[in-house]
Amino acid sequence: MDTGSVSSSFDRLLAPQPAPPWWLVLATAVLALVLVGYRPLWRLTRAAVTVAHEGGHALFALCTGRRLHAITLHTDTSGLTVSSGKPTGLGMIITAAAGYPAPALLGLGYAALLGSGRVTVMLWATLAMLAAVLIKVRNVYGVLTVLVLGAAVFGVSWFGDDLLQAGFAYLAAWFLLAASVRPVLEMQRGRRRQRGPGVSDADQLARLTHLPALLWVLFFAAACLSALVAGTALMLAPVAELHPLFQR
């Protein structure tokens, strides 16, 4: 393969794209809110949040020296990440705490890339992350879920024009930022209805740290809301620079 062509392709991958039209940024934000707020759609789209959630557990399990065994995604949009290592201590705490903030942090990372015009980088980085998750998925539904998501990202990145790629990328970022908050609220509602010892991440962290589970719920909510605010600022900044409508 020609070294020059590889270098040229790499340069095109990293090259920033122009800021998208202001209406596309706002339209994708509204659509993301619909996908999160409308229950029938949420039942379908929540699977993407579960992939990010379990991916967060898996990543930090590896980063803290634990051995990652499997990721399972269930049809009710729940999931499970299995790792082995010391059952207590900082590594286990970080691994357990990583799930709920993971979609928000991923959305924030997307927002940072989009704010600097790196739409193509964001799409191909998503493919790489999905491939990494797929390696550890151990059930049929989970494999199908990751493959469908990967096919959608690949199709847009390979066949879509600049406008479609930007729209898809902004929708993904808005969706992850907005959708990260709802599972935290759902978890807390489930905890309030549950009798006996809880099995949620917050309850697991309460047993590991001897801190109230509600404190961990608040931590998750604060992390997700902070990412939403920061991500919004990052994605609106390029649009505000180009369009007087958003300037004071």
Side-chain angles (χ1 to χ4, degrees), residues 89 93 202-213 215-216:
I93 293 171
D203 293 299
Q204 183 182 7
L205 285 163
R207 290 190 287 270
L208 288 169
T209 63
H210 306 291
L211 296 173
L215 184 63
W216 286 104

Side-chain angles (χ1 to χ4, degrees), residues 160-178:
D161 58 17
D162 290 345
L163 189 63
L164 178 60
Q165 290 181 8
F168 185 87
Y170 272 86
L171 177 61
W174 284 121
F175 173 75
L176 285 173
L177 289 170

Side-chain angles (χ1 to χ4, degrees), residues 14-98:
L14 296 180
Q17 285 84 24
W22 67 268
W23 57 263
L24 182 141
V25 177
L26 295 186
T28 52
V30 172
L31 180 55
L33 291 176
V34 173
L35 294 176
V36 174
Y38 185 50
R39 186 178 296 274
L41 291 176
W42 174 244
R43 292 194 187 106
L44 298 175
T45 58
R46 195 186 193 283
V49 182
T50 304
V51 172
H53 179 112
E54 300 305 328
H57 283 311
L59 174 62
F60 281 91
L62 292 173
C63 289
T64 56
R66 299 180 63 80
R67 184 176 179 182
L68 180 63
H69 295 290
I71 298 173
T72 305
L73 306 173
H74 302 136
T75 54
D76 64 355
T77 69
S78 65
L80 178 66
T81 298
V82 179
S83 63
S84 61
K86 188 177 178 182
T88 59
L90 184 60
M92 186 63 201
I93 293 171
I94 292 174
T95 299

Side-chain angles (χ1 to χ4, degrees), residues 39 46 100 181-203 213-214 217:
R39 186 178 296 274
R46 195 186 193 283
Y100 280 97
V181 181
R182 182 161 180 172
V184 178
L185 300 177
E186 292 175 344
M187 175 185 64
Q188 179 58 16
R189 285 199 298 268
R191 290 185 63 254
R192 292 174 64 182
R193 292 194 300 264
Q194 190 173 25
R195 296 180 180 179
V199 296
S200 69
D201 289 0
D203 293 299
L214 181 59
V217 174

Side-chain angles (χ1 to χ4, degrees), residues 22 26 239-240 242-248:
W22 67 268
L26 295 186
V239 178
L242 294 176
H243 300 281
L245 176 65
F246 296 96
Q247 298 175 358
R248 293 183 179 179

